[in-house]
């Protein structure tokens, strides 16, 4: 077979393939989604508009968080609970409200204290990049107890739990031990700090 015959055979084969696809015999592939299209398809491995899937971040684990609990007093007693992502990857705070427990001197939960949830935040999960923080405020009446006042519990530490995992004990950063009077506190939802 000479070179001219091989070239003619290849040309004929290409023409046949082209004519079969033009007749609809070959499968047609759908067009690729365009960047910014409203089709809801995937582009670049993400199935959400904006290029980032909420599934890309795992839940925040207490072992990768640096928590703090800072007290202040302004008519009511307030505390600022803060967590900073000390890990190397972004993570999501999966609970709307922090899961805290007030602890007594022996490291046991203080008796008779109730923690109420305040108003929900902006809605949706809080995503923390490495080094970013989220915070929640804790508030209770400033009553000092005594014979005519409400009962008070002496609190030595706060225990923080995330994703139903093991809790981490946090000692208040200023004044250490404090009294929580009235038997209840209100905590806000997590917010970016």
């Amino acid at each position: 077979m000479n070179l001219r015959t091989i070239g003619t055979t290849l040309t004929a084969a290409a023409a046949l393939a082209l004519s079969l696809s033009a007749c609809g015999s070959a499968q047609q592939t759908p067009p690729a989604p365009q960047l910014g299209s409203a089709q809801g398809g995937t582009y670049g491995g993400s199935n959400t508009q904006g290029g980032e899937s909420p599934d890309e971040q795992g839940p925040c684990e207490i072992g990768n968080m640096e928590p703090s609990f800072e007290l202040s007093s302004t008519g009511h007693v307030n505390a600022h609970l803060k967590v900073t992502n000390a890990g190397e990857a972004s993570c999501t705070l999966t609970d709307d409200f922090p899961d805290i427990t007030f602890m007594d001197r022996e490291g046991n939960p203080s008796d008779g204290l109730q923690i109420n949830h305040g108003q929900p935040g902006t809605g949706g999960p809080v995503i923390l990049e490495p080094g970013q923080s989220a915070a929640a405020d804790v508030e209770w009446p400033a009553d000092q107890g005594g014979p005519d006042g409400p009962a008070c519990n002496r609190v030595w530490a706060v225990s923080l739990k995330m994703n139903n995992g093991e809790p981490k004990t946090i000692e208040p950063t200023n004044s250490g031990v404090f009294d929580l009077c009235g038997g209840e506190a209100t905590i806000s939802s997590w917010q970016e700090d």
Side-chain angles (χ1 to χ4, degrees):
M1 202 179 243
N2 68 26
L3 197 54
R4 180 178 225 152
T5 307
I6 293 172
T8 304
T9 304
L10 288 174
T11 303
L16 179 62
L18 184 62
S19 67
L20 284 176
S21 67
C23 293
S25 300
Q27 281 189 339
Q28 293 183 354
T29 58
Q34 300 296 311
L35 184 60
S37 73
Q39 293 178 341
T42 60
Y43 184 81
S46 174
N47 62 1
T48 61
Q49 225 169 349
E52 189 165 298
S53 169
D55 296 332
E56 290 178 9
Q57 289 85 25
C60 294
E61 300 294 334
I62 195 73
N64 290 330
M65 296 287 119
E66 290 179 2
S68 65
F69 191 81
E70 186 174 342
L71 296 169
S72 66
S73 180
T74 56
H76 277 76
V77 177
N78 296 308
H80 189 70
L81 173 66
K82 179 178 174 180
V83 292
T84 301
N85 182 358
E88 295 181 8
S90 59
C91 66
T92 302
L93 292 171
T94 57
D95 298 320
D96 292 335
F97 292 88
D99 183 359
I100 64 169
T101 304
F102 294 103
M103 310 301 284
D104 66 15
R105 184 179 197 157
E106 287 78 36
N108 298 314
S110 292
D111 292 330
L113 292 179
Q114 177 179 336
I115 300 172
N116 302 312
H117 289 169
Q119 294 295 318
T122 57
V126 176
I127 298 171
L128 297 178
E129 298 294 328
Q132 284 187 322
S133 300
D137 290 318
V138 186
E139 183 177 281
W140 59 93
D143 295 346
Q144 295 302 312
D148 298 327
C152 294
N153 291 70
R154 175 121 318 161
V155 177
W156 294 77
V158 175
S159 175
L160 173 65
K161 190 187 289 189
M162 294 180 141
N163 305 317
N164 296 317
E166 290 296 315
K168 187 169 191 173
T169 301
I170 311 164
E171 293 182 12
T173 56
N174 51 350
S175 80
V177 177
F178 62 94
D179 290 329
L180 195 151
C181 301
E184 64 182 6
T186 302
I187 191 165
S188 69
S189 62
W190 286 119
Q191 302 292 318
E192 290 182 20
D193 192 38

